[in-house]
Amino acid sequence: MSSSDDDVPLAKGVKTNGIKGDNHKSMGTIPKSLDEAMDKGNPSGDHVEPGISIRNGPMVEMDIEEHSSKPLQANGAATTKRKARQSNGTGKSYNEVSNEDDDDDQPLSKRRRTSQAKAKITSDSDSDDAPLVTKKTNRKPSVALKKPPKVSEMAIGESEDSDTPLGEKLAKKKVQIEKRAEKEAKDIRKEEKKAEKAPPKKKQKKVDSDDAEPMAKKKQRQSNGSPASVKKTKKESNGVKREDSDDDVPLARKTPAKKAKAETQKSNPVKAESKGKGKKIELTKEDQEAEDEEEQYRWWENLGNGDGTIKWTTLEHAGVVFPPPYEPLPKNVKMRYDGTPVKMAPEAEEIAGFFGAMLNSTHNVENPTFQKNFFNDFTEVLKETGGAKDKDGNKVNVKEFAKCDFQPIFDYYDAQRTEKKALSGAEKKKLKAEKDAVEAPYMHCMWDGRKQKVGNFRVEPPGLFRGRGEHPKTGKVKKRVPPEQIVINIGKEATVPAPPEGHRWKEVKHDQEGTWLAMWQENINNAYKYVMLAANSDVKGQSDYKKFEKARELKKHIDVIRKDYEKELRDELMANRQRATAVYLIDRFALRAGNEKGDEEADTVGCCSLKFEHVTLKPPNTVIFDFLGKDSIRFYDEVEVDTQVFKNLKMFKKAPKDEGDEIFDRLNAS
């Protein structure tokens, strides 16, 4: 027995989809006999086709009116059916449209009037006996007929008489794009090697005096000391100035902008002229200093703040904003259980209010999973707080969700919403101004002496967790987060923000390697929530910068990557072949990579976590993907793949694999 673990699944003993056992795992190595046998039915060549998408979106049956010799139903509708896209299902049927346009049976007084312009055009077109000259002179130039929209060559073909299918044209176009990308990657690598081998340029010393300047150049100078001739800018044949593009140069390597303009503006008083008016607005000294600071600070030229490095030296902020405390319902508003109004502790009443306030959201409140999770948490809090009682103080045992009536609570909150909507514009502005004044200190922080905007500084309010798609925890109660669960991150010399009266923070840290200001752990998925800087801040900009630089780096090596995985599509090791096939699908069809999901997470998948039932194969080389993707949005695509990829997918779905088994069972996306 070989000690190699190539024939052992990556997750030993447990499949990556969580099912124990290895009865349905793929074989470790692929015998040549199996490869040859599958090639007989569907031979694959050495060239790897790029693959194209031939239908994006599912098809459903739709009844239409159609002239045919087929028998009619009792209501006169034809029995023929036609496939249509699901997204168009909300539109009007052909029958409805034809009925709207047909007004021959209506009296003249009830028929729709046509515009005079339309009538004029019709009369002109009907005057066949009139000379062409009179037709042109009689027609008003103000009436313009709409021209049909222009269509690209990929939509109608390069020529009208072309018999080449659109799929073949798209495939050829994709091959051209990939060849162009391959050539560009080679050129970039070639230029980088040249730059590495080239000796560093020597800096020329500046000569203050003009003794070393030739006499011919001295004579060309004007009396004011400026050169008489200015170097002409390069222009194209159409007269447009041509500038050297630096799109492929990283921001860190680009030359910084000149600051001479900013320095001259400091010495002179700044006056900004408003558009459309002759008035000039004088900026204050503070405003001018702030603008100069924004112009001078170029964070992309100071990218030393990588992982494991100090992100800040001084940090000051005001902490977080807590949601308002719960206001108990009026005494006349009660939840009914089996027709009896019941009284509860404020903690249980608040949870009942969460459900009652959203009775209009039938998508959630009618979901059995949502109801079950809510009722479990609700009854648990009821027991902890003394249970429910009727008006006489007798204990009411709340056991069945079906007997709970939340309608009085919904009516109360709905009346409040209606009252708020009925406020005048001035009252709404006043309320917003008061809210903004309270939150103003929390909106910004001082990060290394610079004012930065904070992203979401509000602690999440309590409520019912909804989740996306068919989440198994939908309906569970999101508990109120007290200050005792919140960790504050702030500078050592800064003043620690005061917690609400009678409370204390869980911990105060001075983590200079972290970019968060506060954090806590929520109770649904035990995930950590962070208060970070806003998306337009320097720190967030650096994070985005690194992502784009990684994509820019990928551009240099895309040709090598494609050649590597195209070679591994025929590898004898199953793990290598599965990896190559997955990378092919990600590269050619922009599928998300995907990762493993736990039992308490929504069952959404990506390429590497595709299951047996998510992929349908249609010979000779058509693959249909149908699964729930990110945010539980359905992904449906019908694509044509390379014959070798089709053969691999067929092999990965080979028996004894069945529904629930992962296709790429030897692949670990993490």
Side-chain angles (χ1 to χ4, degrees):
M1 292 290 289
S2 173
S3 60
S4 172
D5 58 355
D6 289 333
D7 56 343
V8 179
L10 292 174
K12 297 180 181 179
V14 180
K15 289 188 61 178
T16 51
N17 59 7
I19 301 174
K20 291 187 177 181
D22 53 0
N23 294 330
H24 295 181
K25 70 178 182 182
S26 301
M27 61 185 72
T29 55
I30 303 163
K32 288 185 179 180
S33 57
L34 178 61
D35 248 343
E36 292 172 358
M38 296 189 76
D39 268 337
K40 288 181 181 179
N42 196 14
S44 58
D46 294 334
H47 174 68
V48 177
E49 295 294 336
I52 58 167
S53 174
I54 57 179
R55 177 178 294 119
N56 190 275
M59 305 289 285
V60 294
E61 297 290 333
M62 182 183 73
D63 294 334
I64 63 167
E65 185 179 6
E66 185 178 289
H67 296 288
S68 66
S69 58
K70 294 184 179 181
L72 301 179
Q73 296 177 354
N75 58 3
T79 57
T80 56
K81 290 188 176 181
R82 176 181 174 178
K83 289 185 176 180
R85 296 199 182 281
Q86 201 166 18
S87 58
N88 296 335
T90 56
K92 295 179 180 179
S93 65
Y94 297 118
N95 197 18
E96 290 173 342
V97 174
S98 62
N99 288 339
E100 287 180 359
D101 295 338
D102 189 11
D103 56 356
D104 294 337
D105 298 334
Q106 297 180 358
L108 291 173
S109 59
K110 293 185 178 180
R111 292 187 186 181
R112 292 177 294 178
R113 293 183 179 180
T114 56
S115 63
Q116 294 180 357
K118 189 175 179 181
K120 180 68 178 173
I121 294 170
T122 307
S123 63
D124 287 344
S125 62
D126 291 341
S127 57
D128 297 333
D129 299 332
L132 292 174
V133 179
T134 57
K135 287 184 181 180
K136 291 179 181 178
T137 54
N138 292 337
R139 182 172 296 173
K140 293 182 180 180
S142 60
V143 178
L145 295 175
K146 288 185 179 180
K147 294 181 179 180
K150 292 183 179 180
V151 185
S152 64
E153 63 178 18
M154 298 308 297
I156 59 175
E158 294 178 359
S159 59
E160 293 182 1
D161 56 347
S162 175
D163 296 329
T164 308
L166 182 60
E168 292 183 19
K169 291 182 181 179
L170 290 172
K172 289 179 182 178
K173 190 77 174 177
K174 203 167 183 180
V175 170
Q176 292 174 3
I177 293 171
E178 290 181 0
K179 285 182 178 178
R180 193 159 56 243
E182 181 179 352
K183 183 178 181 299
E184 195 173 351
K186 289 179 180 177
D187 293 341
I188 293 172
R189 291 199 299 269
K190 193 175 181 181
E191 289 177 6
E192 286 186 346
K193 285 183 180 179
K194 278 185 180 179
E196 290 175 1
K197 292 180 181 179
K201 294 182 180 179
K202 296 181 179 179
K203 293 183 179 179
Q204 296 180 355
K205 296 181 180 179
K206 292 184 179 179
V207 182
D208 295 335
S209 63
D210 57 353
D211 295 337
E213 189 176 7
M215 292 296 296
K217 289 188 177 180
K218 287 183 182 180
K219 290 180 181 179
Q220 291 179 0
R221 289 187 173 275
Q222 295 180 346
S223 58
N224 58 359
S226 61
S229 61
V230 181
K231 188 178 180 181
K232 294 181 181 179
T233 58
K234 296 179 182 179
K235 292 188 177 182
E236 299 286 352
S237 58
N238 58 2
V240 180
K241 185 167 70 174
R242 184 178 65 195
E243 297 179 357
D244 294 334
S245 173
D246 59 352
D247 292 341
D248 293 331
V249 181
L251 290 172
R253 297 182 186 175
K254 293 184 182 180
T255 55
K258 295 181 180 179
K259 300 178 182 178
K261 187 176 179 181
E263 291 174 359
T264 54
Q265 287 179 351
K266 285 182 182 179
S267 59
N268 301 327
V270 180
K271 293 182 179 181
E273 189 171 341
S274 59
K275 294 182 180 180
K277 296 182 180 180
K279 296 180 181 179
K280 294 183 178 179
I281 304 170
E282 292 190 7
L283 298 178
T284 63
K285 186 179 179 180
E286 291 78 5
D287 292 338
Q288 182 58 33
E289 288 178 356
E291 286 191 4
D292 292 342
E293 185 182 8
E294 289 297 326
E295 288 182 5
Q296 292 173 11
Y297 185 70
R298 301 166 69 86
W299 55 261
W300 51 89
E301 294 174 2
N302 183 24
L303 294 172
N305 298 335
D307 294 335
T309 61
I310 294 176
K311 305 293 193 304
W312 51 267
T313 53
T314 60
L315 176 60
E316 301 176 34
H317 60 87
V320 293
V321 174
F322 289 91
Y326 173 66
E327 295 182 6
L329 296 170
K331 293 183 178 180
N332 61 331
V333 179
K334 305 287 183 187
M335 184 195 85
R336 298 193 191 99
Y337 183 77
D338 202 12
T340 303
V342 294
K343 184 179 179 181
M344 298 173 282
E347 295 82 0
E349 185 184 77
E350 183 180 19
I351 296 174
F354 295 155
F355 192 91
M358 58 186 299
L359 287 183
N360 55 347
S361 178
T362 55
H363 172 73
N364 292 295
V365 297
E366 293 180 1
N367 181 0
T369 306
F370 189 92
Q371 294 175 357
K372 179 185 175 183
N373 289 334
F374 158 74
F375 193 67
N376 288 341
D377 288 356
F378 174 55
T379 51
E380 186 178 340
V381 175
L382 264 178
K383 291 176 184 177
E384 293 174 357
T385 56
K389 297 178 182 179
D390 60 12
K391 62 179 181 177
D392 298 326
N394 299 321
K395 193 171 183 179
V396 178
N397 198 1
V398 179
K399 287 185 176 181
E400 298 180 27
F401 172 80
K403 293 182 179 180
C404 296
D405 183 9
F406 302 93
Q407 190 62 40
I409 299 176
F410 173 78
D411 294 338
Y412 170 74
Y413 285 121
D414 192 48
Q416 281 193 329
R417 285 191 288 260
T418 306
E419 185 179 346
K420 191 174 181 180
K421 288 180 182 178
L423 292 175
S424 62
E427 290 174 317
K428 289 180 180 178
K429 285 183 180 178
K430 183 182 177 182
L431 291 173
K432 187 178 183 302
E434 292 174 356
K435 181 184 176 185
D436 292 343
V438 173
E439 295 181 349
Y442 304 90
M443 295 180 68
H444 295 86
C445 73
M446 294 301 294
W447 185 290
D448 284 344
R450 288 179 52 79
K451 192 176 182 180
Q452 301 278 3
K453 191 173 182 181
V454 181
N456 189 7
F457 49 83
R458 302 175 186 87
V459 177
E460 289 184 346
L464 298 183
F465 177 72
R466 303 190 187 190
R468 295 187 178 98
E470 298 179 1
H471 202 288
K473 290 189 175 182
T474 181
K476 291 187 71 65
V477 176
K478 289 193 297 181
K479 296 179 180 178
R480 188 178 292 271
V481 180
E484 286 75 11
Q485 293 182 7
I486 296 178
V487 180
I488 298 293
N489 191 25
I490 199 166
K492 288 183 180 180
E493 306 298 328
T495 304
V496 178
E501 190 175 352
H503 295 272
R504 60 179 179 81
W505 301 118
K506 179 181 180 180
E507 188 180 355
V508 176
K509 284 192 173 185
H510 312 290
D511 183 9
Q512 292 179 296
E513 295 180 3
T515 58
W516 53 276
L517 310 183
M519 64 173 252
W520 63 90
Q521 192 175 16
E522 51 89 19
N523 67 294
I524 301 295
N525 298 308
N526 294 323
Y528 286 95
K529 300 287 184 177
Y530 293 89
V531 174
M532 311 285 284
L533 297 185
N536 57 355
S537 64
D538 303 341
V539 176
K540 286 290 184 181
Q542 291 178 20
S543 176
D544 294 340
Y545 173 90
K546 291 174 183 176
K547 292 178 184 177
F548 285 109
E549 285 304 305
K550 184 172 284 188
R552 199 193 296 266
E553 189 68 23
L554 175 64
K555 180 182 178 181
K556 303 175 188 177
H557 310 285
I558 187 64
D559 58 326
V560 178
I561 293 171
R562 282 175 175 157
K563 285 180 180 177
D564 286 345
Y565 77 67
E566 286 174 4
K567 183 180 178 181
E568 285 190 344
L569 287 173
R570 299 170 178 83
D571 199 287
E572 63 177 3
L573 289 179
M574 181 65 77
N576 292 350
R577 191 175 289 205
Q578 285 190 1
R579 181 180 61 198
T581 306
V583 175
Y584 172 92
L585 297 176
I586 292 170
D587 178 31
R588 308 295 183 170
F589 305 109
L591 297 182
R592 293 179 63 87
N595 55 5
E596 297 177 27
K597 294 284 184 178
D599 295 335
E600 295 184 346
E601 294 180 274
D603 190 20
T604 59
V605 299
C607 180
C608 299
S609 53
L610 286 170
K611 293 187 173 62
F612 182 91
E613 62 270 20
H614 297 149
V615 177
T616 304
L617 304 177
K618 288 171 60 178
N621 64 335
T622 301
V623 181
I624 301 174
F625 298 103
D626 191 358
F627 56 88
L628 287 182
K630 183 176 172 60
D631 295 339
S632 296
I633 298 173
R634 184 183 180 187
F635 180 90
Y636 183 100
D637 201 4
E638 190 171 337
V639 299
E640 288 183 355
V641 300
D642 180 76
T643 49
Q644 180 64 36
V645 174
F646 185 86
K647 185 182 81 171
N648 290 349
L649 289 173
K650 190 175 180 181
M651 189 181 298
F652 303 158
K653 292 190 68 176
K654 192 175 175 64
K657 281 192 178 180
D658 203 350
E659 288 192 10
D661 294 322
E662 287 197 349
I663 291 178
F664 301 105
D665 54 353
R666 291 183 177 271
L667 203 58
N668 188 356
S670 59

